[in-house]
Amino acid sequence: MTGPETVPPPARGAPSLEDALSSLQCVLVARRAGTGPEPINWQQYDVLEILRVRGPMTPSLLSASLGVSRQTVSKSLRVVKDLGLVVQAALGEDRREQTTSLTRAGHVFLARNARGRRENARAAMSVLDPDEREAFARMCQKAADAIKELLPEQPPQRH
């Protein structure tokens, strides 16, 4: 009788990029799971965070940026809007096209809930010298931009 097939352990040395990204993702998800942004869920938090990082956006751009449906974004926006964390305003003549931006209360909420992000940054800074920090930040953004291209295209919305 033979046992289950075993996979040999990876060779010692530098991890592959795939393994390094997987490891980083696992650690960041585990850290995130330990600190919930009450009174909202993580999907709603992600809407706020992308608005903090990228500035005011239309719901369709938010949908594409987060890789979720327009309906999912609309549900999240309804909650954070009711909490006074975002405001929506019409763009130009077409009243159907709205831009969403953080309110002062939204900025304050994100500042209060940024502890985990700051702790992660401090931990990374503690093991990187200033040149490595700058290079790592550039590389992370470059990789994030490339990975973002893998997000599915959202179908056009019917009005």
Side-chain angles (χ1 to χ4, degrees):
M1 178 181 254
T2 61
E5 194 173 317
T6 60
V7 176
R12 295 263 182 216
S16 70
L17 179 58
E18 179 180 343
D19 290 345
L21 285 171
S22 179
S23 178
L24 181 59
Q25 179 181 14
C26 289
V27 170
L28 291 174
V29 168
R31 288 270 303 145
R32 178 174 166 153
T35 58
E38 297 295 329
I40 62 175
N41 65 32
W42 282 113
Q43 183 70 51
Q44 295 152 1
Y45 182 85
D46 288 345
V47 167
L48 298 177
E49 187 64 16
I50 198 116
L51 290 170
R52 180 189 72 80
V53 172
R54 296 186 51 194
M57 301 171 81
T58 62
S60 56
L61 188 54
L62 276 167
S63 170
S65 297
L66 294 169
V68 298
S69 72
R70 176 77 188 266
Q71 294 79 12
T72 298
V73 167
S74 292
K75 289 176 187 175
S76 292
L77 286 174
R78 212 172 5 258
V79 171
V80 294
K81 188 176 178 184
D82 288 348
L83 291 170
L85 303 175
V86 300
V87 64
Q88 292 184 302
L91 279 175
E93 302 277 324
D94 187 354
R95 309 289 297 167
R96 294 174 298 174
E97 189 68 53
Q98 301 273 313
T99 186
T100 305
S101 42
L102 289 172
T103 62
R104 177 158 168 63
H107 284 286
V108 169
F109 174 83
L110 286 172
R112 274 196 322 265
N113 284 278
R115 188 184 87 236
R117 187 179 70 240
R118 286 192 193 107
E119 287 174 349
N120 291 344
R122 277 194 297 275
M125 286 173 53
S126 73
V127 298
L128 301 172
D129 67 42
D131 290 339
E132 289 172 325
R133 291 177 201 153
E134 184 179 325
F136 184 68
R138 274 195 324 274
M139 289 185 284
C140 282
Q141 189 59 58
K142 196 173 186 178
D145 291 344
I147 293 167
K148 190 173 11 175
E149 294 297 320
L150 301 174
L151 292 173
E153 287 287 324
Q154 297 299 315
Q157 299 296 312
R158 295 186 183 171
H159 296 284

